[in-house]
Amino acid sequence: MCQLCQGMNANGWDGVSVIMDKAYEGDETRQLILDLKMTPIVPPKVNRVTPWAYDKEMYKKRNEVERLFRRLKGFRRIFSRFDKLDVVFRFFINFSLIADRLISVNRP
């Protein structure tokens, strides 16, 4: 196990897939994810001598998550974190997710 993983445990995250960008495809990062008993889903860079296989369909989900965060940044209250209480902040995240879903249903 790597030095970063000493004292850390997965806390029930065994078997979870971690979708990462190509910028995080380094050997140390991938080994950290593997040591925590998670599955790294990251495409190898084109200059890798020994590329590895990865779940391409699962990696496509990363784009959906990034687009959701971009839409959430449109809600200034969430982006700037005006609320001091976690309960109120969580409420506005839920509110913005509901509003985003309603807007996307009505989009042509």
Side-chain angles (χ1 to χ4, degrees):
M1 190 175 257
C2 69
Q3 291 179 348
L4 292 173
C5 298
Q6 291 176 354
M8 296 173 68
N9 59 9
N11 292 328
W13 293 94
D14 292 347
V16 172
S17 298
V18 178
I19 303 173
M20 302 183 295
D21 191 11
K22 280 186 181 182
Y24 302 104
E25 64 93 38
D27 294 331
E28 297 85 16
T29 307
R30 287 187 66 244
Q31 189 59 46
L32 174 66
I33 299 297
L34 291 170
D35 288 346
L36 292 172
K37 295 180 178 58
M38 297 180 192
T39 306
I41 298 180
V42 57
K45 289 186 178 178
V46 294
N47 61 353
R48 276 277 181 180
V49 176
T50 56
W52 53 82
Y54 67 98
D55 188 356
K56 293 180 182 180
E57 290 302 315
M58 180 73 85
Y59 186 72
K60 290 179 184 177
K61 300 284 185 191
R62 182 179 153 269
N63 184 15
E64 294 176 18
V65 173
E66 285 188 3
R67 286 186 295 167
L68 173 67
F69 277 104
R70 182 190 55 80
R71 289 191 306 268
L72 284 179
K73 285 183 179 182
F75 292 88
R76 186 168 179 242
R77 185 174 189 138
I78 293 172
F79 179 73
S80 300
R81 184 70 199 258
F82 287 141
D83 303 309
K84 300 297 181 202
L85 297 176
D86 290 340
V87 175
V88 177
F89 182 67
R90 194 175 309 135
F91 166 77
F92 277 101
I93 288 178
N94 289 331
F95 174 77
S96 64
L97 290 172
I98 292 169
D100 180 64
R101 181 67 178 162
L102 289 173
I103 291 169
S104 68
V105 168
N106 293 323
R107 240 181 248 142

